[in-house]
């Protein structure tokens, strides 16, 4: 009798190998994720900071614009003041010219005598000047010369080396003043002894300064 032999089924062996590197890789990934999260938080903080800085800059820009507006108003006010000041200056110049003209008109009867030595006039200044003007100009006045007033200009000078003070002679008749000034323009200077004597019109300070500017142009 034959004996049946049964073959045993082949055995299957399942081998599971754990990669020892896998936990390290996961840890690295988690670490990177954590690092990215931190970076994102840093970016959020930077964005928040930039937002605050932007708001601050907008506030500064608003303040700057307000200052610019204030400066523009201030400039407009200054321009108005300058225009007003210029108008006022023009008015003052006009008034000054009118005062100068009035002063010159009030001096039309005056003659200014320069170079007469100190104390030459004695005690009667009007008689001395009346006689001196007639002798110097050699004019034949119809009515005799009459002076309303006469005086030297400035304080008395004790030092004889200093230039003598000028005389101001105010004649009663304007026509005689014109004759004397015309004779002085045609014959200058006059002489008293060794002294040169000049006779000029009596002008205001402003007019004299303007006349001095033209001295270089005179022949």
């Amino acid at each position: 009798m034959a004996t049946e032999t049964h073959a045993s089924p082949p055995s299957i062996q399942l081998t599971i190998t754990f990669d020892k590197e896998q936990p390290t890789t996961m840890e690295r990934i988690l670490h990177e994720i954590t690092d990215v999260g931190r970076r994102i938080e840093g970016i959020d903080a930077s964005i928040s900071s930039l937002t605050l800085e932007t708001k601050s800059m907008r506030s500064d820009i608003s303040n700057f614009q307000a200052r610019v507006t204030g400066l523009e108003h201030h400039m407009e006010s200054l321009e108005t003041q300058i225009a007003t000041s210029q108008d006022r200056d023009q008015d003052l110049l006009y008034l000054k010219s009118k005062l100068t003209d009035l002063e010159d008109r009030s001096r039309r009867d005056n003659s200014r005598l320069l170079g007469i030595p100190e104390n030459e006039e004695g005690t009667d200044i009007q008689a001395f000047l009346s006689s001196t003007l007639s002798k110097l100009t050699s004019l034949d006045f119809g009515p005799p010369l009459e002076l309303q007033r006469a005086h030297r200009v400035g304080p008395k000078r004790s030092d004889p080396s200093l230039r003598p003070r000028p005389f101001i002679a105010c004649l009663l008749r304007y026509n005689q003043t014109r004759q004397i000034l015309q004779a002085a323009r045609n014959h200058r200077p006059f002489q008293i002894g060794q002294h040169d004597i000049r006779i000029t019109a009596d002008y205001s300070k402003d007019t004299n300064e303007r006349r001095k500017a033209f001295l270089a142009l005179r022949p």
Side-chain angles (χ1 to χ4, degrees):
M1 178 176 205
T3 303
E4 293 180 359
T5 305
H6 298 280
S8 60
S11 60
I12 301 174
Q13 296 180 353
L14 179 60
T15 303
I16 299 175
T17 305
F18 291 96
D19 188 357
K20 293 181 179 181
E21 298 295 329
Q22 186 174 359
T24 304
T25 302
M26 291 299 294
E27 289 177 359
R28 184 182 302 164
I29 291 173
L30 290 174
H31 179 72
E32 291 179 356
I33 291 173
T34 302
D35 186 58
V36 169
R38 290 175 179 173
R39 292 182 182 179
I40 291 173
E41 290 177 356
I43 292 173
D44 289 340
S46 298
I47 291 174
S48 299
S49 178
L50 286 174
T51 302
L52 292 175
E53 290 180 1
T54 301
K55 290 181 180 179
S56 178
M57 290 177 64
R58 287 177 179 174
S59 177
D60 291 341
I61 290 172
S62 298
N63 292 334
F64 180 74
Q65 289 176 341
R67 290 181 181 179
V68 170
T69 302
L71 287 174
E72 289 176 348
H73 291 319
H74 186 60
M75 287 296 296
E76 291 176 358
S77 176
L78 286 177
E79 289 174 354
T80 302
Q81 292 178 10
I82 290 172
T84 303
S85 177
Q86 290 175 344
D87 293 339
R88 188 181 298 113
D89 290 343
Q90 291 179 355
D91 292 340
L92 289 175
L93 288 174
Y94 173 76
L95 291 175
K96 184 178 180 181
S97 66
K98 293 294 290 184
L99 288 174
T100 300
D101 181 64
L102 289 173
E103 185 177 355
D104 286 333
R105 289 177 182 274
S106 69
R107 294 170 179 251
R108 288 190 305 173
D109 295 330
N110 294 352
S111 297
R112 185 178 286 256
L113 289 80
L114 310 173
I116 298 178
E118 293 281 342
N119 303 318
E120 189 78 12
E121 64 275 15
T123 57
D124 192 345
I125 296 178
Q126 292 191 11
F128 169 78
L129 290 180
S130 178
S131 173
T132 299
L133 288 171
S134 298
K135 291 178 182 179
L136 291 177
T137 58
S138 300
L139 294 174
D140 184 14
F141 296 105
L145 287 179
E146 294 185 60
L147 278 70
Q148 298 186 66
R149 57 188 178 275
H151 63 276
R152 284 191 186 267
V153 179
K156 189 173 182 179
R157 296 172 183 173
S158 58
D159 188 351
S161 64
L162 297 176
R163 182 182 299 177
R165 294 171 296 162
F167 273 108
I168 298 294
C170 178
L171 273 68
L172 180 62
R173 299 174 182 84
Y174 175 64
N175 287 338
Q176 292 178 340
T177 302
R178 292 182 60 187
Q179 287 179 282
I180 291 171
L181 293 177
Q182 183 63 43
R185 281 190 286 268
N186 295 333
H187 183 283
R188 59 182 184 219
F190 299 105
Q191 295 285 328
I192 294 182
Q194 300 297 321
H195 303 285
D196 291 337
I197 309 300
R198 293 194 304 116
I199 304 175
T200 66
D202 183 34
Y203 295 110
S204 64
K205 180 180 178 181
D206 290 339
T207 301
N208 276 327
E209 289 178 353
R210 289 198 301 269
R211 288 170 61 85
K212 287 178 182 178
F214 294 96
L215 288 178
L217 303 177
R218 293 176 60 181

